[in-house]
Amino acid sequence: MLKTQKNFLLLSLTFFPPIFSTNQNITIKSIYHHRGATHAYDNALELGSVSFYFSAKPSIQKIKSESISGNMQRNTYRIQGARLNAEQQAKLPIITKHYTLALCNVGDDVHMIITYDARKVAIELNTFDSISLQKGVSIHFLNRIFCYAERQPQIPAKKKNRQKKVVIDCGHGGSDAGAIGYDGIKEKDVVLRVGLRVAQLLKKANIGVLLTRSSDQDVSLDERTSYANHHNADLFVSIHANASKNSSAQGIDTFFMSTSLLHNENQLSDGICGNALHNALRLRADESKHLAQSVHQSLITNVKKQYPTVVDRTVKHEVAQILLGSYMPAILIEVGFVTHEQEAKRLHDPSYQNLLAACICDGIVAYLKE
Ligand SMILES: [Zn+2]
């Protein structure tokens, strides 16, 4: 089951009409910084992105845009009625090679300050409703050299002549148990066993594997995405188990993120890279959909052979941080409900875990062979 984990940043906005005007106090629930493969600046469109979750629709306005020394640009934005808590402030600002982000409380509002080299970097801002029904804003830092049509980046997974690198992400871990279900079964334990088995099988298929965690440890969502981006992985496969207050809910879902869920706020964006970002996200969404269908089909077809009552909850699209922040085709699989008695017993069973793992591996291999 998807759960937000905290991370923190500093940011900012200008004299443009606000998006989502409101005058109620809102809380900044979570802040994520997904780092791009910054060591590969020359061949990466996405240098990094920052996502916010708000308790309600934020009102964001650019209040200042100024050139400081050389080509450095500083934009100041205001988030009306928002508040940063002390814990968040303690982990700010964030400084990268290409941009710095600062966030601070000013009067009743929060000011976000972005400083970047306007010759090299462009900013695009999107809004979305997250899978956990929070109001989201994502700020994308883009490599300007890729903003011109003739330099659009390709999807590496389709390049045939090199070993593929697949990131297997076992959800939750450590102090974050994820969902806890029937007989105290913990999501974090089930998905770790399934994920480690998937990794083993992929290696046997001569596919490179990177694990975001290989033991019961805490790893934040944006550490996972930044790890995958840093290693220029070809695919990102996140494994979770579901839960519901309704104990009869059961079955397997597979999620990917489609661009239709993201709304570009061009009045707050630089407006230079909108198309480049949209094309990159659309290309990735198409590939993520194919990967989701391949893995889901493999799961449903083969698991049902032995367990005909397993429910097919289909392939769906949602905005989840793990999908938004990974700059390669990415999916999230919910392998079943820990709150459903029979399904929880199956999920606890090593032979069922191995069956799920074999199906996930076969689905990934089939996609890569397409
Ligand atoms: Zn989960």
Side-chain angles (χ1 to χ4, degrees):
M1 189 168 81
L2 285 171
K3 221 170 150 192
T4 55
Q5 290 173 327
K6 282 208 172 117
N7 203 330
F8 308 100
L9 279 184
L10 285 180
L11 286 178
S12 73
L13 298 179
T14 292
F15 295 104
F16 291 88
I19 55 172
F20 304 134
S21 61
T22 171
N23 49 16
Q24 61 183 347
N25 280 336
I26 61 168
T27 315
I28 300 177
K29 309 284 278 182
S30 314
I31 306 172
Y32 301 97
H33 178 218
H34 306 289
R35 292 168 185 270
T38 46
H39 55 87
Y41 173 76
D42 295 336
N43 55 27
L45 167 68
E46 292 161 285
L47 303 173
S49 55
V50 180
S51 295
F52 292 87
Y53 282 160
F54 295 96
S55 56
K57 287 181 179 180
S59 164
I60 301 180
Q61 203 180 7
K62 197 190 266 188
I63 53 174
K64 201 166 22 176
S65 189
E66 54 195 324
S67 302
I68 47 180
S69 61
N71 297 297
M72 295 308 286
Q73 173 84 15
R74 183 166 53 212
N75 294 352
T76 306
Y77 305 68
R78 174 176 53 214
I79 306 182
Q80 201 178 339
R83 209 94 213 111
L84 263 182
N85 64 37
E87 200 190 327
Q88 289 172 335
Q89 280 181 332
K91 292 206 172 177
L92 305 173
I94 201 167
I95 299 165
T96 74
K97 217 160 77 173
H98 305 296
Y99 53 86
T100 68
L101 307 120
L103 195 68
C104 49
N105 291 321
V106 177
D108 295 335
D109 309 320
V110 160
H111 281 194
M112 302 191 300
I113 302 150
I114 299 179
T115 311
Y116 59 105
D117 181 338
R119 215 179 18 165
K120 290 183 173 173
V121 178
I123 295 171
E124 287 295 321
L125 195 138
N126 284 324
T127 53
F128 58 89
D129 290 339
S130 78
I131 195 168
S132 48
L133 302 178
Q134 296 180 70
K135 292 295 169 192
V137 171
S138 60
I139 297 176
H140 302 259
F141 298 90
L142 305 168
N143 181 344
R144 279 183 79 136
I145 59 174
F146 279 115
C147 294
Y148 309 104
E150 62 280 3
R151 291 292 309 269
Q152 299 297 351
Q154 302 303 311
I155 292 279
K158 292 300 175 181
K159 290 189 184 142
K160 294 285 177 232
N161 53 9
R162 63 177 180 78
Q163 189 196 34
K164 302 293 177 275
K165 265 186 289 186
V166 176
V167 169
I168 297 299
D169 172 51
C170 306
H172 313 279
S175 62
D176 173 12
I180 299 175
Y182 181 79
D183 209 17
I185 185 175
K186 290 193 179 95
E187 176 185 3
K188 69 173 184 175
D189 301 331
V190 171
V191 299
L192 181 63
R193 294 203 198 106
V194 174
L196 292 178
R197 183 68 182 148
V198 174
Q200 251 175 12
L201 294 168
L202 285 173
K203 280 178 192 152
K204 271 199 193 131
N206 191 30
I207 291 168
V209 178
L210 297 161
L211 282 157
T212 55
R213 74 177 177 101
S214 52
S215 65
D216 184 18
Q217 62 200 113
D218 279 284
V219 188
S220 70
L221 289 179
D222 42 12
E223 281 172 311
R224 296 167 196 245
T225 54
S226 300
Y227 173 75
N229 296 339
H230 178 76
H231 289 280
N232 266 324
D234 296 299
L235 303 177
F236 190 101
V237 175
S238 188
I239 303 172
H240 286 251
N242 221 329
S244 169
K245 289 195 181 74
N246 165 8
S247 62
S248 62
Q250 58 173 311
I252 299 173
D253 307 75
T254 306
F255 293 92
F256 72 99
M257 188 189 81
S258 79
T259 50
S260 61
L261 299 168
L262 297 176
H263 315 292
N264 183 260
E265 300 297 337
N266 47 30
Q267 87 272 25
L268 289 172
S269 305
D270 282 354
I272 299 159
C273 287
N275 289 344
L277 177 64
H278 183 74
N279 293 341
L281 290 174
R282 190 178 39 70
L283 207 61
R284 193 151 75 221
D286 291 349
E287 289 303 325
S288 299
K289 186 177 182 182
H290 287 148
L291 175 63
Q293 289 165 336
S294 179
V295 169
H296 193 79
Q297 188 60 40
S298 169
L299 275 165
I300 296 300
T301 310
N302 299 303
V303 169
K304 269 182 168 299
K305 279 180 191 150
Q306 292 179 48
Y307 302 87
T309 62
V310 165
V311 173
D312 176 0
R313 294 170 59 90
T314 73
V315 171
K316 300 184 178 83
H317 61 149
E318 281 290 356
V319 179
Q321 279 311 305
I322 216 81
L323 303 177
L324 181 65
S326 38
Y327 301 160
M328 69 287 303
I331 62 172
L332 186 149
I333 312 160
E334 297 276 5
V335 292
F337 283 70
V338 294
T339 44
H340 184 276
E341 183 173 351
Q342 279 72 41
E343 199 148 60
K345 285 177 181 163
R346 282 198 296 266
L347 289 169
H348 202 54
D349 171 4
S351 63
Y352 188 71
Q353 291 166 357
N354 289 342
L355 172 61
L356 290 171
C359 298
I360 294 169
C361 176
D362 293 349
I364 293 170
V365 171
Y367 166 83
L368 289 171
K369 280 198 182 125
E370 266 176 24

